[in-house]
Amino acid sequence: MKNRLIMLEGLPGTGKSTNSFKLYEQLILGGKKVRWIHEVSQPHPVLFFTESCMTKEEYRDFKKKYPEVAALLDEVAEVRETTVGIDQETVGRRAQDAKEQAWYQELLKYDAFPTSLDRYEFRALEKWAAFARNAAKDEDTIFILDSSFFQYQIFTYLLKAASYERLEEFVSKIAECIEPLNPLLIYLYREHTEDSIAFMKEQRGEQALVSTWERDKGEPYYQSKQKDVTAFYDFLKDYAKSAESLFETLKFDKRKIEISANNWKAYEDEMLGLLEIPRIEIPAYKAQEGTFVNAEHGLSFAIKDNVMKDPEGVQRHLSPKSQDEFFVEGIPTILKFFEEDSTRLLGQQIIPQWTETGTVYTREKNEE
């Protein structure tokens, strides 16, 4: 395939993760090696969610101060050119009672956010450059990246009330980093931003939008805005304008897909056509049923008729990859059943603990 990096962007609620999943599924069924980096993959190779970021000197000093966790930190650290990233959630899970320890509390003081834009740009470009270098070495893998190239950057810059020109300059530097991967950008949009806002209200509930506004209302962008959720609607309109302008500046492969009709199969076909790959029919296999438990973490999920009710109560369709492996709808997780009553999680971990790669769940005996 020509494009080693496929990026899906658009306003919240435009189907970035949904369509990333479909591409992930189809590419793997077609025999490709694929890594889908979900918006909330953990640790995330280009974004900052739960990362503590130190200089290399700070990292050395930290390990000297807390030698009891030095080996653990080295195990999870992402070492870049001048900085080191430590995912807080990962180390918190691997060390017993970590969040009560002095070393963990000090680690939190190095949280990558909040920070100035100058510092963010420096750290973020190091992450993008490291990702691009590592991806270039993995020549057989196709990478899918959603909500990272536009969404995270636009949110960051708009909330800081930074100029569009500064945003465009930064995005152009990211584009330079990833150019060797022959990226393809797919931008999903509705003709009217108001339609996307209405869709989000319908699908997520207005309270979800209110919660986002309440989370961010202290940021510079909102200081001259109305003091209710309608300010977030204005934010989304400004987001759309920025994204449209950024799209026009890009020199690599790109395509806009208008999704107002919600004809998702047609959009999938268009994306597959862009990649010049045929649609593969999903094989007809049925997943093992019952309640599957991981006693160590106190987590469980239930499966019936190829539908999983995950540990957070979300229902996710399971689509077969093979007789023993099943894609989990909407996330880069694959269930691999083995023996008669166990399943191991493969793929890419996201923030919820239950998705940790390699975790084994065993079916409760009374449900055999």
Side-chain angles (χ1 to χ4, degrees), residues 100-272:
E100 300 173 7
Q101 305 301 315
W103 66 265
Y104 187 83
Q105 295 303 315
E106 185 162 343
L107 184 69
L108 296 182
K109 295 178 182 179
Y110 291 93
D111 194 296
F113 274 106
T115 190
S116 67
L117 273 183
D118 286 339
R119 198 170 188 186
Y120 167 73
E121 288 171 344
F122 175 78
R123 291 173 168 179
L125 283 176
E126 278 210 345
K127 286 199 82 168
W128 279 95
F131 162 71
R133 285 194 302 271
N134 292 333
K137 294 174 185 175
D138 193 355
E139 297 179 356
D140 297 329
T141 300
I142 298 165
F143 293 85
I144 300 172
L145 192 61
D146 76 84
S147 310
S148 301
F149 184 61
F150 274 6
Q151 179 168 293
Y152 193 88
Q153 315 312 324
I154 293 173
F155 259 81
T156 298
Y157 281 72
L158 274 184
L159 287 174
K160 297 298 184 185
S163 68
Y164 168 78
E165 290 74 20
R166 184 169 184 177
L167 169 63
E168 181 183 317
E169 180 181 5
F170 181 67
V171 169
S172 72
K173 291 177 180 177
I174 298 176
E176 290 177 12
C177 289
I178 61 177
E179 185 178 6
L181 301 175
N182 292 317
L184 166 66
L185 174 68
I186 298 172
Y187 182 69
L188 305 167
Y189 74 101
R190 293 183 176 85
E191 184 177 359
H192 304 292
T193 304
E194 291 82 359
D195 292 338
S196 286
I197 295 171
F199 182 84
M200 281 190 281
K201 286 182 181 179
E202 179 182 347
Q203 294 294 312
R204 303 179 182 184
E206 187 168 12
Q207 185 55 45
L209 281 68
V210 171
S211 296
T212 301
W213 170 71
E214 289 180 338
R215 180 195 68 191
D216 296 334
K217 64 184 180 181
E219 296 287 352
Y221 174 88
Y222 287 111
Q223 299 317 298
S224 60
K225 299 289 184 180
Q226 57 271 35
K227 305 304 180 184
D228 59 35
V229 71
T230 59
F232 180 52
Y233 304 158
D234 288 345
F235 178 91
L236 292 172
K237 293 172 186 176
D238 288 338
Y239 174 122
K241 291 176 184 175
S242 295
E244 293 279 346
S245 296
L246 288 172
F247 184 89
E248 297 304 322
T249 68
L250 299 175
K251 307 302 182 186
F252 51 68
D253 291 349
K254 57 187 179 181
R255 174 69 66 90
K256 285 183 178 180
I257 298 180
E258 208 276 332
I259 62 165
S260 295
N262 293 323
N263 187 353
W264 298 109
K265 186 175 185 300
Y267 310 145
E268 292 167 27
D269 287 338
E270 184 173 352
M271 289 186 288
L272 294 173

Side-chain angles (χ1 to χ4, degrees), residues 13 27 35 37 45 100 102 157 161 170 205 228 257 264 286 292 303 313 337 350 366:
L27 286 166
R35 183 182 174 196
I37 302 167
E100 300 173 7
Y157 281 72
F170 181 67
D228 59 35
I257 298 180
W264 298 109
K286 190 170 183 179
F292 292 79
I303 298 175
F337 293 94
I350 58 174
N366 60 359

Side-chain angles (χ1 to χ4, degrees), residues 326-351:
F326 291 77
F327 298 102
V328 181
E329 180 185 18
I331 59 176
T333 299
I334 295 173
L335 301 184
K336 181 176 178 59
F337 293 94
F338 63 99
E339 297 176 349
E340 293 185 357
D341 59 359
S342 297
T343 184
R344 178 178 286 108
L345 302 193
L346 307 179
Q348 175 72 37
Q349 179 181 346
I350 58 174
I351 287 177

Side-chain angles (χ1 to χ4, degrees), residues 8-21 36 39 146-147 151 188 204 239:
L8 281 85
E9 291 294 342
L11 279 170
T14 51
K16 300 182 293 297
S17 293
T18 298
N19 286 284
S20 292
F21 172 73
W36 171 20
E39 177 185 4
D146 76 84
S147 310
Q151 179 168 293
L188 305 167
R204 303 179 182 184
Y239 174 122

Side-chain angles (χ1 to χ4, degrees), residues 1 6 22-28 30 32 142 268-280:
M1 266 181 59
I6 305 163
K22 290 299 183 182
L23 286 179
Y24 177 68
E25 178 185 68
Q26 285 292 308
L27 286 166
I28 289 178
K32 305 292 185 183
I142 298 165
E268 292 167 27
D269 287 338
E270 184 173 352
M271 289 186 288
L272 294 173
L274 279 173
L275 297 169
E276 299 180 343
I277 58 174
R279 177 182 287 277
I280 307 296

